[in-house]
Amino acid sequence: MRKILLGLMLGILSTTGYAAAPSGNLMDAQVDVSDQGSLQRGAKLFANNCMGCHSAKYVRWNALPEPLGVSMEMVEDNLIYGAYQAGDTINAAMRSEDGAEWFGAAPPDLSLTARARGADWVYTYLNSFYRDPDASIGWNNKLLANSSMPHVLWRLQGVPEAEYEDTANGVQVAGIRVPDAQQGMLSTAEYHQATRDITNYMAFMAEPVRAKRQEIGVWVIGFLVIFTGLAYLMKREYWRDIH
Ligand code: HEC
């Protein structure tokens, strides 16, 4: 009986502890793929700001309505630009050859990035852009140094600048701050929320069935617990006469 209980507890732990532990200096994205409001805002921000360059080619448009809690018409009206056919996947407006030429690196497909890099990494990346004092670099990124992606959300966040510190390895970026005179449309808290919504949407895209799987998992575990209890009672009942 003890072994069964232990097994059950391990089972429960492994279904709830699905998110990879944050590592290093990453910010905590606190993703919650069952938060439909966040997914809807994230989908909209993603369509408006990211799909010019990035595709999400493993995700089909018609897979979005149910998990986002919206109708297919809303997806068509708000997220899809240009021609679309039922079953189409999420494509970038730009050809990746052009991206490689214009930015020095082709903007990668983002379907699985939140799983490959981790959601906290994506969230931190979107909060790590700064204007490099070296004008030939332009936008830089504290997490991915010399990233060729421009800070596409600067209108929202403002124009962040880096604070430097002397370390044993030379001068390094210690932190990032948006000076008062360079604030964007959103407050710091609102920008965090916006980038969290985008990250949440990317986490959902990387594993669209996760919310459903967790929901089913709870029922399965519940069933197992009740079933184990019943089986135990039955065993006692059967063995009572034999002892
Ligand atoms: C103007 C084109 C452009 C736009 C718009 C754009 N990106 Fe990028 N993005 C790039 C390029 C180019 C890279 C490759 C950077 C590199 O490797 O140096 C990149 C890389 C990334 C990466 C890192 C992927 C990895 O695994 O290395 C993430 C995450 C990302 N973009 C997210 C976003 C999100 C989210 C948006 C919308 C808010 C967005 N991008 C909008 C061009 C763009």
Side-chain angles (χ1 to χ4, degrees):
M1 190 64 194
R2 229 183 248 158
K3 262 191 198 146
I4 298 175
L5 275 179
L6 192 71
L8 267 176
M9 276 165 65
L10 284 178
I12 291 171
L13 283 179
S14 62
T15 52
T16 49
Y18 61 89
S23 63
N25 293 327
L26 295 184
M27 296 161 70
D28 183 0
Q30 294 174 333
V31 290
D32 174 6
V33 291
S34 64
D35 181 347
Q36 290 186 327
S38 168
L39 290 182
Q40 290 166 12
R41 292 188 301 270
K44 182 104 184 119
L45 284 164
F46 190 86
N48 287 332
N49 297 289
C50 317
M51 280 172 45
C53 297
H54 292 283
S55 59
K57 64 184 177 200
Y58 298 116
V59 182
R60 288 181 197 288
W61 288 117
N62 59 16
L64 298 185
E66 196 198 326
L68 263 60
V70 297
S71 65
M72 192 60 213
E73 288 71 42
M74 280 184 79
V75 170
E76 282 169 359
D77 292 347
N78 291 287
L79 304 180
I80 304 179
Y81 300 99
Y84 143 84
Q85 288 182 331
D88 273 359
T89 59
I90 300 183
N91 289 311
M94 184 176 69
R95 294 183 311 145
S96 73
E97 301 91 277
D98 291 339
E101 202 172 304
W102 296 339
F103 300 105
D109 185 86
L110 293 182
S111 324
L112 302 173
T113 308
R115 192 155 23 140
R117 293 278 207 182
D120 291 342
W121 190 94
V122 171
Y123 179 55
T124 310
Y125 179 67
L126 296 175
N127 280 279
S128 297
F129 286 97
Y130 65 93
R131 185 170 64 185
D132 202 289
D134 181 346
S136 69
I137 295 181
W139 291 113
N140 206 333
N141 190 289
K142 180 173 182 280
L143 182 63
L144 191 68
N146 298 322
S147 168
S148 22
M149 173 169 147
H151 185 14
V152 295
L153 299 173
W154 71 271
R155 281 189 194 78
L156 302 184
Q157 189 190 17
V159 180
E161 301 203 332
E163 289 161 341
Y164 297 88
E165 68 179 355
D166 278 320
T167 70
N169 302 323
V171 180
Q172 293 202 332
V173 179
I176 286 166
R177 218 175 55 83
V178 184
D180 288 343
Q182 293 169 201
Q183 295 289 335
M185 283 154 57
L186 304 183
S187 69
T188 305
E190 287 167 341
Y191 183 72
H192 281 162
Q193 186 59 51
T195 46
R196 176 169 293 134
D197 292 339
I198 295 174
T199 306
N200 209 14
Y201 176 65
M202 284 178 61
F204 151 76
M205 284 200 299
E207 215 176 326
V209 292
R210 184 159 88 183
K212 187 169 262 179
R213 201 184 59 200
Q214 278 175 288
E215 200 178 294
I216 294 172
V218 170
W219 286 105
V220 170
I221 297 292
F223 169 78
L224 283 177
V225 169
I226 294 170
F227 180 78
T228 308
L230 285 177
Y232 178 66
L233 289 178
M234 209 151 91
K235 179 208 156 223
R236 270 218 324 217
E237 183 62 30
Y238 282 160
W239 281 82
R240 201 202 319 253
D241 302 334
I242 298 170
H243 280 313

